Amino acid sequence: MSDPLHECVKVWATREVGPERVPSLARKELAKWLGAGHPALPDLQEIASELITNAILHADADWVRMSLSREPYSWQLTVTDPGAAGKAAPPSRQSRSSDERGRGLLIVDALTEGRWDTTVNAVGERVVWTQVRR
């Protein structure tokens, strides 16, 4: 789909496909939705990979849902997971140069120019939405 006019949605059962494979599967799905040469594709793929990895690592998600919709001036990419009871929203933090992890939300923030947020919906799922200029 070269320019979706509606929302595209994909759900992965992480334990069925293997949690380590989901970020790669998300990248491939975005390429199918947008087309391999789409200028926003690399940024959306990186954002999806970071957010899905966070969901798997920090929420121990049994499933992850990714959606993409075309807004008037941006692409809205949303990643939803079952949520982790009692856990606060993931904080963006300053990583040390020796840290092997902890830069994901900084990358998301840079690629979205600060246009992202996280919330818990009415059924307790963690929802992270992002916007990337079209």
Side-chain angles (χ1 to χ4, degrees):
M1 179 176 298
S2 61
D3 201 11
L5 299 175
H6 61 285
E7 183 175 40
C8 298
V9 179
K10 181 71 177 184
V11 179
W12 293 276
T14 57
R15 290 185 182 25
E16 287 179 24
V17 299
E20 69 285 347
R21 291 189 56 224
V22 179
S24 174
L25 294 171
R27 288 173 177 269
K28 290 176 185 172
E29 195 68 26
L30 285 164
K32 283 188 346 190
W33 291 346
L34 290 174
H38 196 285
L41 183 61
D43 288 350
L44 290 167
Q45 287 177 316
E46 183 64 28
I47 292 164
S49 182
E50 294 294 344
L51 296 180
I52 288 169
T53 298
N54 279 353
I56 292 168
L57 288 176
H58 301 296
D60 194 26
D62 290 336
W63 58 266
V64 177
R65 180 173 59 241
M66 177 180 74
S67 64
L68 180 69
S69 61
R70 187 177 73 179
E71 303 298 321
Y73 301 102
S74 64
W75 293 103
Q76 182 156 320
L77 177 74
T78 304
V79 173
T80 305
D81 65 62
K87 284 200 173 183
S92 184
R93 66 184 185 100
Q94 188 67 33
S95 296
R96 295 181 305 264
S97 61
S98 60
D99 289 346
E100 292 184 20
R101 296 177 17 190
R103 294 177 185 84
L105 291 179
L106 295 172
I107 293 168
V108 169
D109 193 62
L111 293 175
T112 63
E113 300 171 348
R115 294 186 317 251
W116 69 279
D117 202 358
T118 181
T119 188
V120 176
N121 66 18
V123 295
E125 299 167 337
R126 168 71 53 202
V127 179
V128 183
W129 62 266
T130 66
Q131 291 185 333
V132 174
R133 290 186 196 272
R134 289 188 344 110

